C-alpha cells in the first residue's frame, strides 16, 4: 500500500466517522442545561457568583459615608450617578468576615431599588450549568451562607440576589428592623 | 352663564393649551374616520367621543360653559354615527370640523362665546332628531362610549379608549407654546444635571487645592533665586491663570443649567384651585351650606413633588373647615354672621419656604372640648391640660385618633386625618400648626413646606467624624458652652440661654455621648422648630450654603432623623437632618442656674486670590471659627463698618485698597483700633515685613511658608 493509498484510507475513515455523527438520532445528544450566567467575585478565600441579570454594574467603591446606629454589615451610603445608594459589606452580610480590603462594589437590582455590595474583587464571568451544581439540595439549605441559591462542584456559591435584596433586615426604620443582624456601628 | 375668560390667567393658559391639543387630536381622528372604511372605525369613534368628553370636563372646570354645551353637542352628534348612511356621515364630519374651529376660536378669544352656542344649536337642530330608519345600517359594534355618554361602558374597553385618547393627546401640536414632557424624561434630565454639578464641584475642589499648591511653588521658586529668570515657570503660571479664568464661567453655567432644570419642575399652586372649588362646592351642597372659596395665592410655584404631596392635606383641611368649622346658614344668621360662609386659602413665600393657610369664618376650635378630649384620651394629665394655652392644646388635634367631632360624616370626623396631614407635611420637611388668632375668626391651619425639595440651605457640621447638614431655617445661632456649665437631670442635658431659659442639649445622634470633661468647650447649634428650642451638640462647623438634595435610598426612607442627602465636594454623601424628629426626642427640664455662653469668634479673611481665600476660610471654619471672606481692602473696610469681627486675616497686595492701608485705617479708627490683624502674604523681604509691622499688624505670616497649624496657632493667640 502506497502512501497515497494510506492517505485515501485515512480520509475515508474520517468521512465515515463524520457521517455516523451526523446520522446519529437527535435524542441521543444531551445538551447541558444552562442555569445562570454569573459574575464571579472574591470575598476573602470564597468565590461568590451573582447572576448577571441582577447586577447592574461593578465599580470601584466611591467614598462611603457611614451612618450611626446601623448594623456592622451596613457600610453606609454612596453617591453613584447622582443617586444615593445604600451599601452593605457582602462578606459581613454573608457572615464570612471582612479580612481583606474591599476593592469593588457590585450594584444589585432589587424590586424596590438598587443596593451596593462591597466585595474584594471581580474575577470574571462564567456560565453555570445544571451538571455543575452540587446535587443535594440539603447542601444549599444547610449552607452557612444565607441567600444561597446553589453551590457548584468547584465551590462557587451562587447568591439568590432577589432574596438578598428583599431581606427585611435591609429595610431600615420599619418595625421589621428592630434587631439588626449584627452589631451596632454606633 | 359663566365665561372662562374671567378665569385666572395662568389657569386659562393651561386650559387653552390643553384644549387646543385635544382639538388637534380630534381633528386628526375625524380625518381618519372620514378615510377609514370599516376596520378600526369603532375605535376611532370611541376615541373621538372620549376627546370631546375631556374637552367638556376641562371647560366645565374652567367656566367655559358655551364650550361645554358645544362639546356635549359634538358627543351627541357622534353617538349614532355608525348607524347612519355614508352621505350623512360626511355631512356630520364637515359640521364637526366646523365645531372644532369654533371651539378653538372661542378658547383663543378670537370670537365670542355666542358663536359656540350657535354652533351647538346647529349641531343639535340638525342631528338631534332620530336618524331616518331607512338610512340605518346594521346595529353598530361600537361598544362602549365614554362615561356619561354610553352606560354600557366596560372597564376593559374604557381603559383602551383612554389609552388611545391619551396617546393622541400626548403629541403636542406644532406651534403650541407648551410642550408636554414625560416626567421620566424630566427626572432623567434632573439627574444628569445633578451629576454635572456634582462633578463640577469635585473638579472645583481639586482645582482650588492645586492652584494654591502651584502658587506656593512659584512663590518658593522666586524666593529661592529671585534673579534667575524662569520662563517655563512664568508660562506655567500664566497657563494656570488662564485655566482659572476659563473655568469660572463653567461653574456659573452649570449653576444656571441646574436652576433652569429646577424651574422645569415648578408647578403653580393655582393649578389646584379648580379642585378646591369643586370640593367646596360639592361639600357645601352635600351639607346644605352656603360657602364661598376665596383664594390669595399669587403666582406661587412649588416643586411638582411638593405640590402632589400637598394636594390631599390641603383638601382635607378644606373638607374639615366645611364640615366642622362652618355653621349652617341659619346658625350663622342667629350669630349675626353673613349666611354665606368663607373658606380662604392664602399662600405666600419667604425665602425657600412656602406657607399655605387654610382659614374659615366658622365657629372656630372648641378649646375646652379639645382639653377635655385630650384628658379623656390620656394624652394629657388633667393638671397639665388645665394649665395649657390654646396654641399648645391645639397641637393635640394632630395626634393619631384624636377627634372632637360629635358625629361622623362622609366628609370627616373619624379622628383620622389631621395626623395624616401632619405626616404628609413632615415627609416634605415641613410642618402644620393651628394659628392663633385665626385669620377670619374661625380656624386657621397653617402649612409650611420647602418650595423646592431639591434645594436646601444648610450648615455643614460634623459629629462623630461624620458630616451632616442642618437646615438653616431652623438655626437660630451657634453657641460655645463650657462643659462644666452643662446641667444634667437623669439622662437629659441642658444649659441656660442668654435669657436664663433652659435649653435642652442633645447630640446629633442619640448614641453619641455628650462630653462633660472640664475645660472642653462644646459647640452647640441652637435650633428652633416652631416655637420649640433645642441645642444640638456638634463637633465642628463647616460652611453654609445651598445644597442640592437627593432622596434617601429606598431602604432608608423611614429612618428617623434623615430627611434627605446632599453630596459634598469630595463626592461623599451627607445626611440632611430632619429637624422635626430631633424635637420629638427632647424633654425640656427646668433650670434656675444661668450659665455663661460664649459666641463663636468671627474672622474677616481678605485676599484677592480665590484659592487663598478658600483655603484660609476652610482652615478656619474647620477649626470652628465663623469666617467672612472679602476680595480686597475696600470690601473688607465696608464689612468692618457693618458688623463686628474678632480678627482680620489679610493679604498685603490687593486691588482697590491694599492690606497695609487696611491695617492703618483699622488702627486709626476709634472703634476698631484694638482689632487684631494678621497679614498673610507672599512678600517676605525684610523691608516688607518691616512695612507690615509699621502699619500696625499684629502678626506677619509668609504664604510660601504657610501651613495650617501656624495660622491656627496665630489665630488662637488673638481670639
Amino acid at each position: 500500500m502506497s502512501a497515497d493509498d494510506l492517505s485515501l484510507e485515512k480520509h475515508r475513515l474520517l468521512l465515515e466517522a463524520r457521517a455516523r455523527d451526523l446520522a446519529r438520532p437527535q435524542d441521543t445528544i444531551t445538551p447541558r442545561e444552562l442555569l445562570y450566567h454569573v459574575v464571579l467575585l472574591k470575598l476573602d478565600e470564597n468565590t461568590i457568583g451573582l447572576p448577571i441579570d441582577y447586577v447592574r454594574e461593578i465599580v470601584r467603591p466611591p467614598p462611603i459615608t457611614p451612618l450611626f446606629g446601623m448594623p456592622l454589615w451596613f457600610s453606609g451610603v454612596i453617591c453613584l450617578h447622582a443617586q444615593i445608594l445604600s451599601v452593605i459589606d457582602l462578606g459581613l452580610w454573608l457572615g464570612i468576615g471582612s479580612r481583606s480590603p474591599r476593592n469593588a462594589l457590585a450594584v444589585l437590582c432589587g424590586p424596590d431599588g438598587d443596593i451596593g455590595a462591597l466585595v474584594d474583587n471581580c474575577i470574571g464571568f462564567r456560565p453555570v450549568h445544571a451538571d455543575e451544581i452540587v446535587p443535594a439540595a440539603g447542601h444549599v439549605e444547610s449552607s452557612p451562607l444565607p441567600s444561597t441559591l446553589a453551590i457548584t462542584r468547584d465551590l462557587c456559591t451562587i447568591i439568590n440576589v432577589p432574596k438578598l435584596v428583599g431581606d427585611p433586615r435591609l429595610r431600615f426604620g420599619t418595625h421589621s428592623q428592630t434587631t439588626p443582624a449584627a452589631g451596632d456601628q454606633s | 352663564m359663566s365665561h372662562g375668560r374671567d378665569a385666572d390667567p395662568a389657569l386659562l393658559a393651561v386650559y387653552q393649551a390643553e384644549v387646543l391639543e385635544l382639538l388637534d387630536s380630534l381633528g386628526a381622528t375625524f380625518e381618519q374616520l372620514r378615510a377609514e372604511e370599516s376596520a378600526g372605525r369603532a375605535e376611532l369613534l370611541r376615541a373621538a367621543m372620549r376627546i370631546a368628553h375631556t374637552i367638556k370636563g376641562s371647560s366645565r372646570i374652567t367656566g367655559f360653559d358655551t364650550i361645554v354645551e358645544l362639546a356635549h353637542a359634538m358627543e351627541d352628534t357622534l353617538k349614532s354615527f355608525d348607524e347612519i348612511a355614508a352621505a350623512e356621515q360626511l355631512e356630520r364630519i364637515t359640521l364637526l370640523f366646523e365645531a372644532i374651529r369654533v371651539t378653538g376660536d372661542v378658547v383663543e378669544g378670537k370670537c365670542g362665546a355666542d358663536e359656540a352656542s350657535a354652533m351647538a344649536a346647529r349641531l343639535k337642530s340638525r342631528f338631534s332628531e332620530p336618524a331616518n330608519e331607512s338610512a340605518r345600517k346594521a346595529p353598530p359594534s361600537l361598544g362602549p362610549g365614554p362615561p356619561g355618554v354610553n352606560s354600557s361602558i366596560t372597564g376593559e374597553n374604557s381603559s383602551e379608549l383612554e389609552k388611545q385618547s391619551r396617546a393622541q393627546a400626548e403629541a403636542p401640536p406644532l406651534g403650541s407654546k407648551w410642550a408636554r414632557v414625560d416626567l421620566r424624561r424630566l427626572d432623567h434630565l434632573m439627574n444628569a444635571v445633578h451629576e454635572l454639578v456634582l462633578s463640577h464641584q469635585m473638579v472645583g475642589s481639586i482645582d482650588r487645592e492645586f492652584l494654591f499648591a502651584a502658587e506656593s511653588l512659584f512663590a518658593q521658586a522666586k524666593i529661592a533665586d529671585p534673579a534667575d529668570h524662569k520662563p517655563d515657570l512664568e508660562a506655567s503660571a500664566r497657563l494656570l491663570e488662564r485655566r482659572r479664568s476659563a473655568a469660572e464661567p463653567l461653574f456659573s453655567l452649570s449653576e444656571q443649567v441646574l436652576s433652569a432644570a429646577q424651574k422645569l419642575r415648578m408647578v403653580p399652586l393655582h393649578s389646584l384651585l379648580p379642585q378646591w372649588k369643586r370640593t367646596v362646592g360639592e361639600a357645601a351642597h352635600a351639607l346644605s351650606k352656603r360657602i364661598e372659596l376665596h383664594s390669595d395665592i399669587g403666582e406661587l410655584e412649588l416643586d411638582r413633588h411638593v405640590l402632589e404631596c400637598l394636594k390631599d392635606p390641603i383638601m382635607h383641611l378644606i373638607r374639615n373647615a366645611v364640615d366642622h368649622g362652618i355653621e349652617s346658614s341659619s346658625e350663622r344668621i342667629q350669630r349675626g354672621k353673613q349666611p354665606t360662609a368663607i373658606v380662604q386659602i392664602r399662600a405666600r413665600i419667604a425665602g425657600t419656604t412656602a406657607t399655605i393657610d387654610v382659614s374659615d369664618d366658622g365657629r372656630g376650635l372648641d378649646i375646652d372640648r379639645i382639653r377635655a378630649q385630650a384628658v379623656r384620651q390620656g394624652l394629657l394629665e388633667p393638671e397639665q391640660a388645665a394649665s395649657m394655652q390654646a396654641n399648645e392644646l391645639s397641637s393635640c388635634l394632630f395626634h393619631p385618633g384624636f377627634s372632637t367631632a360629635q358625629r361622623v360624616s362622609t366628609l370627616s370626623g373619624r379622628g383620622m386625618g389631621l395626623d395624616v396631614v401632619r405626616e404628609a407635611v413632615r415627609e416634605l420637611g415641613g410642618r402644620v400648626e393651628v394659628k392663633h388668632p385665626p385669620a377670619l375668626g374661625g380656624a386657621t391651619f397653617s402649612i409650611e413646606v420647602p418650595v423646592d425639595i431639591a434645594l436646601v440651605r444648610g450648615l455643614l457640621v460634623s459629629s462623630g467624624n461624620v458630616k451632616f447638614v442642618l437646615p438653616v431655617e431652623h438655626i437660630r445661632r451657634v453657641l460655645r458652652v463650657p462643659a462644666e456649665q452643662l446641667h444634667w437631670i437623669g439622662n437629659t442635658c441642658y444649659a441656660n440661654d442668654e435669657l436664663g431659659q433652659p435649653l435642652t442639649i442633645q447630640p446629633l445622634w442619640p448614641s453619641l455621648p455628650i462630653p462633660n470633661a472640664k475645660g472642653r468647650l462644646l459647640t452647640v447649634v441652637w435650633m428652633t422648630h416652631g416655637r420649640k428650642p433645642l441645642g444640638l451638640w456638634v463637633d465642628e462647623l463647616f460652611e453654609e450654603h445651598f445644597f442640592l438634595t437627593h432622596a434617601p435610598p429606598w431602604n432608608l426612607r423611614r429612618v428617623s432623623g434623615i430627611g434627605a442627602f446632599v453630596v459634598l465636594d469630595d463626592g461623599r454623601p451627607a445626611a440632611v437632618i430632619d429637624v422635626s424628629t430631633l424635637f420629638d426626642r427632647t424633654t425640656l427640664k427646668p433650670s434656675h442656674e444661668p450659665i455663661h455662653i460664649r459666641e463663636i469668634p468671627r474672622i474677616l479673611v481678605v485676599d484677592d486670590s480665590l484659592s487663598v481665600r478658600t483655603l484660609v476660610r476652610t482652615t478656619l471654619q474647620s477649626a470652628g471659627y465663623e469666617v467672612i471672606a472679602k476680595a480686597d481692602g475696600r470690601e473688607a473696610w465696608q464689612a468692618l463698618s457693618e458688623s463686628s469681627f474678632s480678627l482680620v486675616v489679610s493679604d498685603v497686595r490687593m486691588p482697590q485698597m491694599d492690606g497695609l492701608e487696611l491695617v492703618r485705617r483699622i488702627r486709626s479708627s476709634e472703634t476698631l483700633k484694638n482689632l487684631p490683624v494678621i497679614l498673610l502674604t507672599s512678600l517676605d523681604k525684610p523691608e516688607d515685613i518691616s512695612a507690615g509691622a509699621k502699619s500696625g499688624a499684629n502678626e506677619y505670616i509668609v504664604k510660601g511658608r504657610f501651613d495650617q497649624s501656624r495660622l491656627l496657632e496665630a489665630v488662637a493667640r488673638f481670639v
Side-chain angles (χ1 to χ4, degrees):
Chain A
M1 194 179 279
S2 69
D4 284 349
D5 292 337
L6 273 176
S7 174
L8 282 171
E9 178 63 8
K10 213 171 157 186
H11 281 137
R12 191 181 62 78
L13 290 173
L14 184 69
L15 291 171
E16 275 181 9
R18 283 183 185 169
R20 273 196 301 276
D21 263 357
L22 287 169
R24 194 169 60 189
Q26 285 292 312
D27 57 2
T28 62
I29 299 171
T30 51
R32 299 175 77 198
E33 187 191 352
L34 179 67
L35 292 183
Y36 323 104
H37 270 292
V38 297
V39 182
L40 292 174
L41 306 163
K42 262 298 183 210
L43 267 174
D44 296 332
E45 308 85 49
N46 304 279
T47 305
I48 302 290
L50 300 176
I52 55 171
D53 287 349
Y54 299 104
V55 181
R56 193 177 300 285
E57 60 183 313
I58 294 178
V59 293
R60 182 181 289 277
I64 300 176
T65 299
L67 296 175
F68 292 111
M70 294 296 194
L72 278 176
W73 45 260
F74 187 85
S75 305
V77 288
I78 58 162
C79 176
L80 191 66
H81 309 312
Q83 302 277 336
I84 307 296
L85 199 67
S86 293
V87 175
I88 61 167
D89 185 308
L90 194 58
L92 290 173
W93 171 268
L94 295 173
I96 54 180
S98 168
R99 288 187 292 278
S100 43
R102 307 300 195 212
N103 297 313
L105 179 88
V107 181
L108 310 179
C109 314
D112 298 310
D114 297 347
I115 198 152
L118 285 172
V119 295
D120 294 358
N121 282 305
C122 172
I123 53 172
F125 300 85
R126 71 175 267 192
V128 178
H129 296 94
D131 58 6
E132 292 177 277
I133 300 295
V134 176
H139 281 222
V140 173
E141 293 303 316
S142 62
S143 164
L145 306 186
S147 319
T148 300
L149 187 62
I151 301 169
T152 62
R153 290 179 195 282
D154 57 352
L155 299 180
C156 169
T157 304
I158 317 290
I159 299 294
N160 185 338
V161 176
K163 190 176 173 190
L164 187 157
V165 181
D167 193 307
R169 287 175 299 168
L170 280 177
R171 198 178 281 275
F172 294 93
T174 56
H175 294 301
S176 62
Q177 185 53 51
T178 48
T179 48
D184 190 297
Q185 247 172 232
S186 58
Chain B
M1 186 172 279
S2 157
H3 193 286
R5 305 246 139 257
D6 305 326
D8 181 293
L11 177 65
L12 190 61
V14 174
Y15 166 75
Q16 281 174 337
E18 185 199 15
V19 171
L20 293 176
E21 275 185 42
L22 289 169
L23 289 175
D24 275 12
S25 301
L26 195 56
T29 312
F30 288 162
E31 283 289 357
Q32 282 179 278
L33 206 53
R34 194 153 53 180
E36 199 80 47
E37 279 303 322
S38 56
R41 287 181 68 82
E43 282 74 18
L44 286 170
L45 269 172
R46 281 202 298 271
M49 288 170 79
R50 179 72 199 174
I51 296 170
H53 193 74
T54 307
I55 292 171
K56 190 166 76 174
S58 302
S59 306
R60 184 173 286 137
I61 284 174
T62 325
F64 275 85
D65 290 350
T66 56
I67 303 289
V68 172
E69 196 186 344
L70 180 50
H72 188 77
M74 286 161 84
E75 277 182 272
D76 278 349
T77 307
L78 286 163
K79 212 182 264 180
S80 51
F81 193 84
D82 247 10
E83 298 177 32
I84 56 173
E88 191 179 335
Q89 284 184 355
L90 277 178
E91 188 192 342
R92 286 193 184 201
I93 284 187
T94 308
L95 265 182
L96 285 167
F97 270 119
E98 200 176 337
I100 286 179
R101 182 192 57 75
V102 171
T103 309
D105 285 354
V106 173
V107 167
E108 287 187 292
K110 291 179 187 167
C111 66
D114 292 345
E115 286 214 30
S117 289
M119 187 70 224
R122 274 178 73 195
L123 282 174
K124 277 181 201 164
S125 64
R126 181 69 190 84
F127 303 118
S128 61
E129 71 277 0
N132 188 342
E133 283 298 320
S134 62
R136 280 181 191 275
K137 300 199 294 188
S141 57
L142 262 183
V149 175
N150 187 332
S151 59
S152 66
I153 193 161
T154 66
E156 193 186 336
N157 286 330
S158 162
S159 74
E160 188 54 40
L161 190 67
E162 281 177 15
K163 259 190 266 172
Q164 259 188 27
S165 173
R166 264 203 308 273
Q168 285 175 7
E170 265 167 20
L174 288 174
S176 167
K177 282 190 274 182
W178 298 81
R180 203 171 278 196
V181 181
D182 189 327
L183 285 174
R184 286 167 302 183
R185 287 190 190 178
L186 208 55
D187 288 341
H188 183 72
L189 172 72
M190 280 301 289
N191 274 346
V193 173
H194 275 209
E195 204 164 359
L196 171 77
V197 173
L198 289 174
S199 302
H200 260 149
Q201 282 176 358
M202 288 175 74
V203 169
S205 171
I206 295 165
D207 262 8
R208 283 192 291 274
E209 285 177 34
F210 177 69
L211 286 170
F212 187 76
E215 279 181 4
S216 298
L217 190 69
F218 297 150
Q220 281 173 10
K222 279 185 185 171
I223 291 160
D225 192 355
D228 188 15
H229 181 63
K230 293 185 173 63
D232 287 350
L233 262 183
E234 283 176 8
S236 302
R238 279 196 299 274
L239 201 60
L240 268 178
E241 192 51 46
R242 274 178 56 201
R243 197 217 172 285
R244 180 163 53 185
S245 314
E248 271 181 14
L250 271 181
F251 294 111
S252 155
L253 278 174
S254 70
E255 295 287 330
Q256 283 178 37
V257 172
L258 175 68
S259 169
Q262 279 170 329
K263 279 182 187 154
L264 290 178
R265 292 176 57 91
M266 303 302 270
V267 182
L269 181 63
H270 59 59
S271 61
L272 296 181
L273 199 54
Q275 275 186 25
W276 297 339
K277 281 185 177 166
R278 212 166 49 238
T279 303
V280 170
E282 285 168 4
H285 178 74
L287 297 165
S288 305
K289 292 180 180 177
R290 287 162 64 183
I291 304 170
E292 277 178 9
L293 178 75
H294 291 189
S295 66
D296 173 17
I297 53 181
E299 298 299 311
L300 195 143
E301 289 186 329
L302 295 169
D303 180 274
R304 178 180 59 82
H305 177 70
V306 175
L307 197 73
E308 278 294 316
C309 295
L310 277 184
K311 251 187 203 172
D312 289 342
I314 294 177
M315 207 68 89
H316 194 96
L317 294 178
I318 291 173
R319 277 198 290 263
N320 264 2
V322 173
D323 195 14
H324 301 308
I326 289 169
E327 317 90 333
S328 64
S329 298
S330 54
E331 193 183 338
R332 289 179 67 84
I333 292 167
Q334 278 175 9
R335 290 176 179 228
K337 291 181 175 179
Q338 290 294 324
T340 303
I342 294 170
V343 170
Q344 178 188 270
I345 299 178
R346 188 164 177 264
R348 61 203 174 279
I349 189 166
T352 54
T353 304
T355 306
I356 300 157
D357 291 346
V358 180
S359 307
D360 64 72
D361 66 347
R363 58 174 71 88
L365 298 174
D366 187 337
I367 293 298
D368 289 335
R369 189 182 288 171
I370 293 171
R371 199 187 309 272
Q373 185 69 11
V375 173
R376 202 174 303 129
Q377 288 189 216
L379 299 179
L380 298 171
E381 294 298 322
E383 308 78 43
Q384 196 183 5
S387 65
M388 284 172 92
Q389 300 296 312
N391 57 347
E392 295 170 297
L393 278 165
S394 53
S395 63
C396 293
L397 292 172
F398 299 101
H399 195 275
F402 190 92
S403 177
T404 57
Q406 289 170 318
R407 62 183 169 78
V408 170
S409 74
T410 53
L411 293 171
S412 51
R414 289 178 174 79
M416 290 168 65
L418 282 178
D419 62 318
V420 178
V421 169
R422 184 179 64 170
E423 277 314 301
V425 173
R426 260 190 182 184
E427 279 185 19
L428 292 170
R431 65 198 178 95
V432 58
E433 62 177 12
V434 178
K435 259 197 177 170
H436 294 276
L440 302 176
T444 296
F445 287 82
S446 185
I447 294 175
E448 267 185 26
V449 283
V451 175
D452 180 357
I453 51 167
L455 209 59
V456 63
R457 189 167 160 234
L459 175 67
L460 189 65
V461 302
S462 77
S463 189
N465 290 324
V466 180
K467 287 181 178 170
F468 297 91
V469 173
L470 300 174
V472 163
E473 71 223 42
H474 294 287
I475 298 176
R476 188 162 161 191
R477 59 192 302 189
V478 177
L479 314 168
R480 286 291 182 100
V481 181
E484 58 267 27
Q485 292 181 7
L486 296 174
H487 304 261
W488 292 85
I489 294 181
N491 291 326
T492 308
C493 176
Y494 63 94
N496 281 10
D497 65 15
E498 66 248 315
L499 300 173
Q501 296 299 311
L503 178 69
T504 304
I505 295 179
Q506 68 175 41
L508 206 46
W509 219 257
S511 52
L512 294 170
I514 297 178
N516 54 6
K518 283 193 175 172
R520 172 104 188 240
L521 211 55
L522 271 70
T523 303
V524 174
V525 184
W526 183 346
M527 313 284 296
T528 56
H529 184 62
R531 296 177 193 86
K532 294 182 196 166
L534 171 69
L536 212 56
W537 165 64
V538 298
D539 287 341
E540 282 184 79
L541 301 174
F542 300 91
E543 72 269 20
E544 171 204 321
H545 63 84
F546 282 96
F547 294 94
L548 279 172
T549 60
H550 301 255
W554 60 272
N555 61 332
L556 300 179
R557 293 205 174 132
R558 296 183 67 88
V559 171
S560 173
I562 295 178
F565 283 91
V566 302
V567 181
L568 305 177
D569 286 354
D570 59 1
R572 209 178 279 274
V576 180
I577 299 299
D578 175 5
V579 175
S580 63
T581 58
L582 294 177
F583 282 81
D584 289 346
R585 303 204 296 247
T586 61
T587 315
L588 204 61
K589 300 283 181 184
S591 165
H592 303 292
E593 294 176 51
I595 63 162
H596 174 63
I597 291 166
R598 279 169 55 184
E599 287 191 37
I600 292 182
R602 207 151 175 251
I603 299 174
L604 179 63
V605 171
V606 197
D607 203 305
D608 58 333
S609 159
L610 176 67
S611 48
V612 175
R613 273 205 311 275
T614 308
L615 183 85
V616 174
R617 186 174 61 189
T618 311
T619 304
L620 294 173
Q621 281 175 335
S622 304
Y625 298 108
E626 187 183 347
V627 177
I628 304 292
K630 296 292 170 189
D632 60 51
R634 201 160 71 178
E635 281 185 17
W637 183 246
Q638 178 72 21
L640 286 167
S641 65
E642 288 168 356
S643 40
S644 62
F645 292 89
S646 310
L647 173 72
V648 176
V649 177
S650 175
D651 187 15
V652 172
R653 279 196 186 155
M654 293 180 292
Q656 311 287 349
M657 183 194 296
D658 67 20
L660 298 179
E661 175 59 23
L662 177 66
V663 181
R664 279 193 285 271
R665 286 201 184 188
I666 289 171
R667 292 290 167 256
S668 59
S669 159
E670 195 53 42
T671 52
L672 297 171
K673 63 184 178 191
N674 295 323
L675 179 66
V677 181
I678 296 173
L679 289 175
L680 181 67
T681 170
S682 53
L683 304 174
D684 68 339
K685 291 181 186 161
E687 55 268 33
D688 294 326
I689 297 170
S690 168
K694 275 184 193 166
S695 69
N698 301 77
E699 181 92 24
Y700 197 98
I701 300 175
V702 179
K703 276 181 199 167
R705 298 193 290 272
F706 171 74
D707 68 348
Q708 287 191 2
S709 53
R710 185 158 173 228
L711 175 67
L712 291 175
E713 276 171 27
V715 168
R717 279 201 295 277
F718 296 110
V719 291

